[in-house]
């Protein structure tokens, strides 16, 4: 009758590879539902880290004087937030080079 469906490896086809995840905006109601499942201190730490990272992206290179001090302040805010996030779930931490 017909051929059985195979995964393609026997036929010499390339295997399927997962592509990198693309950030997709989520609706506010979904974000609120996710947030309601987390302790408030974790939500606050997540927002603090997010704001600090976004502010750091606005700093121009090379850093001099006040900008260097601002960067240090922002890095310490991320470190404080990461302590709270790591205690709740280590995968929530913001790491260098994470593409955040």
């Amino acid at each position: 009758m017909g051929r059985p469906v195979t995964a393609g490896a026997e036929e010499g086809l390339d295997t399927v590879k997962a592509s990198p995840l693309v950030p997709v905006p989520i609706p506010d109601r979904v974000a609120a539902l996710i947030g309601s499942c987390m302790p408030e201190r974790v939500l606050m730490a997540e927002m603090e880290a997010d704001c600090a990272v976004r502010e750091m992206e606005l700093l121009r290179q090379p850093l001099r004087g006040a900008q260097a001090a601002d960067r240090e302040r922002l890095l310490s805010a991320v470190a404080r937030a990461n302590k709270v996030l790591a205690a709740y779930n280590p995968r929530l931490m913001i790491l260098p080079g994470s593409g955040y």
Side-chain angles (χ1 to χ4, degrees), residues 1-86:
M1 289 240 183
R3 289 177 59 187
V5 178
T6 61
E10 297 85 19
E11 299 170 3
L13 299 176
D14 292 337
T15 58
V16 177
K17 294 182 181 179
S19 62
L21 294 177
V22 177
V24 177
I26 59 174
D28 290 339
R29 287 186 182 194
V30 174
L33 182 62
I34 293 169
S36 68
C37 299
M38 299 171 75
E40 186 177 344
R41 63 184 167 73
V42 175
L43 289 174
M44 296 303 293
E46 192 174 32
M47 288 190 303
E48 181 181 355
D50 182 51
C51 290
V53 169
R54 288 178 194 271
E55 274 188 62
M56 263 193 284
E57 290 173 353
L58 298 175
L59 295 175
R60 302 284 178 178
Q61 297 291 335
L63 301 176
R64 292 191 181 116
Q67 283 188 335
D70 285 343
R71 182 177 183 272
E72 292 300 319
R73 178 184 54 82
L74 294 170
L75 284 173
S76 67
V78 172
R80 278 192 311 273
N82 270 345
K83 286 181 183 180
V84 175
L85 295 172

